[in-house]
Amino acid sequence: MRYTFEYEVLSSQSSSEFSQEAESQEEAAALIVARIADLEFTDESDIKLGKVIAISKKVGDNYIACEGCAS
């Protein structure tokens, strides 16, 4: 599954969204903060991870929205 999270960069007060492929939402959350910090050129402590806004299921080489997966 691919989990899309909202996040905020605390130092700049900017927000965006980013996704992570993982077996579970917990695994995705554990992996994504480091990736966002690299993307934003900041420290992991400067990232506030928000809620999951989308969950996509892999079908072949593509991802499709999973109706009713996000709560």
Side-chain angles (χ1 to χ4, degrees):
M1 300 285 243
R2 179 170 295 278
Y3 298 87
T4 304
F5 291 84
E6 294 178 327
Y7 72 90
E8 180 182 357
V9 180
L10 299 174
S11 61
S12 65
Q13 296 182 332
S14 63
S15 60
S16 191
E17 59 188 53
F18 201 65
S19 64
Q20 173 69 47
E21 184 176 338
E23 294 295 320
S24 69
Q25 183 173 329
E26 293 77 17
E27 180 185 355
L31 296 170
I32 200 167
V33 173
R35 292 189 61 216
I36 294 169
D38 285 345
L39 174 74
E40 296 285 351
F41 300 104
T42 191
D43 191 73
E44 289 181 35
S45 63
D46 193 28
I47 304 298
K48 179 182 177 185
L49 193 60
K51 65 180 181 175
V52 173
I53 56 173
I55 300 173
S56 303
K57 181 177 180 183
K58 189 168 187 173
V59 176
D61 291 335
N62 299 311
Y63 285 89
I64 58 170
C66 185
E67 297 256 347
C69 290
S71 53

